Amino acid sequence: MNLASWLSRSGLSHPYMPAAALGPRVAMTYGELALRAARLAGALRNKLKLEPGDRVAIVAKNSPDFLVLLYGIWHAGLAAVPANAKLHGAELGYILEHSGARVCFASKGLDAEIAPHAPKSLERLIAIGSAEYNALFEADAIDVVSRAGDDLAWLFYTSGTTGKPKGAMLTHRNIAWASHAYGSEVDPVSPGDAILHAAPMSHGSGLYIMQHVARLGVQVVPESGAFEPDEIFALFERWPNVSMFAAPTMIKRLVDSAADGHAANIRTLVWGGAPMYVEDCLKALDRFGPKLAQIYGQGESPMTITTLSKQDIADRDHPRWRERLGSAGRPYACVDVVVADDDGRPLPPGETGEILVGGDVVMKGYWRNDEATAAALRGGYLHTGDVGAFDADGYLTLKDRSKDLIISGGSNIYPREVEEVLLTHPAVREVSVIGRPDAEWGEAVVAYVVGAAPPAELDALCLSSIARFKRPKDYVFVDALPKNNYGKILKTELRARDAQRQ
Ligand code: AMP
């Protein structure tokens, strides 16, 4: 089963239905999208001589072309490597090298940023919309190349705790399950319904493409390429039955926005990727009504671990309604979710432990990283690294993020990665990076530094090698960092001290 067959069937049966839109305007019908994907597939196989299983990277801002590329790659039997367009050229270079991508498609402008970091294994770097790109669509269309459920479809790079990102191998089967789970438990899709891609299509939002293709929905990309509440509200008015996946901070911005958009057209606003404060959830309910759903997932079990349904969120009469709003909901039907102790033994409700996940949606492993695969999938379950507890009703509450992950503006930032960069400054003796609660960003990156380096130089250092959004928003200079007997820096204590300073 190749996921591309969902598009080719929709193209055959409903060629005139809208498939993709840029802002208010239809950009492609199903017939057009399916034909472009089939021609691109022909070019990838016959002109660029790629073989089934080869990786092709997409480094693109959200656009209708993202759909053409994703489906063209799958149609040809290849694996897609969608990468976050906000990453630094050096970070993208690492992903290109590690994935062994032979071809990379990049939004105009990003190609120049990638070029100096392109590995030898990359044969072509093609700017979307260039003459070279347009010529690919002159190739003859080919039939969908057959794939097994276990074949790689999407190499999903997640930031690694040790600095280097890891590639979660998502197969055609994994994504099919995630898509069906979304349609049956979060948000049923009917022909003509819209999905608004305001969050990156290379990440969570992109995993909601497939169910909409299978069910003849229309994928809407904001023209600004950014998240502007005024524009989002205008698109809610333009597109009937519209859904959107958003980080909690994005939902909060919509709620706080003065834009006078009404919510009548909204089908579902799905949040995930980070916790939403209960107070924020209540305000969103007041503004949008019973349209909110929550999902908890991670790249390794794409968008699919637990979900808090629209009905649960709106069920004000339930005696435990508020507690449930603070939870991440119930496991999806297609997964086993276990809260386990350090030895992997299941814990009873009320007890806190690591969250383990089993099922057909769980990744095959990490690309070219047997050690990390064995650790993450030991005992037949995905070890999420997240900590939580079930209540007696079967609702899961996430207690704490292990690994000291910082989530700022919906993006994950691993402190270690930033610390390693800062430590390269000769005047930095020690450093510890933490997240500080922040009304706008969810969390702000803060660096505690032992040493006398000027903040401007630290900023410049960060900008030279990691993405802009990972750069600390504040530097605090101290004589010493809190440590335990073994000399390990105590981040929990540092966070407490930081809260006191604030
Ligand atoms: P990623 O792999 O980048 O999607 O990040 C996944 C991580 O985000 C998870 O392991 C959780 O720590 C966190 N996360 C995802 N969804 C939620 C949620 N609904 N509530 C709280 N944290 C979440």
Side-chain angles (χ1 to χ4, degrees), residues 156 158 203 271-275 294-300 328 384 386 398 401 405 407 412:
F156 190 107
T158 62
H203 209 256
W271 91 80
Q294 181 192 184
I295 65 100
Y296 157 53
Q298 59 175 207
E300 291 83 347
T384 62
D386 291 320
L398 295 171
R401 272 180 257 117
L405 177 73
I407 302 183
N412 289 356

Side-chain angles (χ1 to χ4, degrees), residues 223-361:
E223 267 173 312
S224 69
F227 186 79
E228 304 289 351
D230 284 348
E231 183 184 27
I232 301 294
F233 278 116
L235 292 173
F236 285 163
E237 304 236 346
R238 161 68 180 87
W239 294 100
N241 284 331
V242 58
S243 290
M244 180 173 81
F245 172 72
T249 46
M250 292 160 79
I251 304 271
K252 192 168 153 51
R253 280 186 60 198
L254 288 182
V255 171
D256 294 344
S257 141
D260 69 345
H262 65 75
N265 270 347
I266 298 175
R267 191 167 90 247
T268 311
L269 295 177
V270 187
W271 91 80
M276 168 127 72
Y277 297 111
V278 172
E279 289 310 313
D280 290 339
C281 184
L282 293 173
K283 284 186 198 147
L285 257 183
D286 283 346
R287 176 136 194 189
F288 297 115
K291 309 284 177 85
L292 297 154
Q294 181 192 184
I295 65 100
Y296 157 53
Q298 59 175 207
E300 291 83 347
S301 183
M303 309 298 269
T304 315
I305 299 175
T306 61
T307 177
L308 189 64
S309 69
K310 287 197 273 194
Q311 293 77 8
D312 273 343
I313 292 176
D315 188 6
R316 292 172 189 263
D317 295 331
H318 193 281
R320 284 184 295 288
W321 174 57
R322 278 186 77 105
E323 282 118 279
R324 286 185 177 177
L325 287 187
S327 83
R330 305 186 315 142
Y332 283 87
C334 64
V335 287
D336 285 334
V337 179
V338 180
V339 169
D341 66 13
D342 290 346
D343 298 319
R345 282 187 297 254
L347 290 167
E351 287 193 33
T352 299
E354 189 179 6
I355 298 162
L356 314 186
V357 189
D360 281 323
V361 75

Side-chain angles (χ1 to χ4, degrees), residues 406-486:
I406 299 170
I407 302 183
S408 185
S411 295
N412 289 356
I413 300 163
Y414 283 89
R416 170 90 180 264
E417 207 185 343
V418 185
E419 289 161 3
E420 280 178 357
V421 174
L422 296 174
L423 280 169
T424 62
H425 191 287
V428 172
R429 293 217 298 282
E430 280 183 314
V431 66
S432 183
V433 168
I434 57 166
R436 175 188 292 162
D438 183 87
E440 191 184 353
W441 298 97
E443 284 183 293
V445 179
V446 177
Y448 272 76
V449 181
V450 181
E457 286 182 20
L458 296 177
D459 265 351
L461 202 54
C462 289
L463 289 174
S464 71
S465 61
I466 51 171
R468 184 169 280 271
F469 68 85
K470 298 178 184 172
R471 182 176 54 137
K473 296 216 163 35
D474 192 9
Y475 297 94
V476 184
F477 293 89
V478 288
D479 290 331
L481 294 168
K483 291 182 189 153
N484 70 8
N485 289 341
Y486 303 105

Side-chain angles (χ1 to χ4, degrees), residues 30 39 52 54 118 136 173 189 191 219 222 250 307 367 431 442 465:
Y30 269 99
R39 285 183 185 266
D54 281 346
L136 296 175
R173 180 183 297 118
V189 182
Q219 324 263 344
M250 292 160 79
T307 177
W367 178 254
V431 66
S465 61

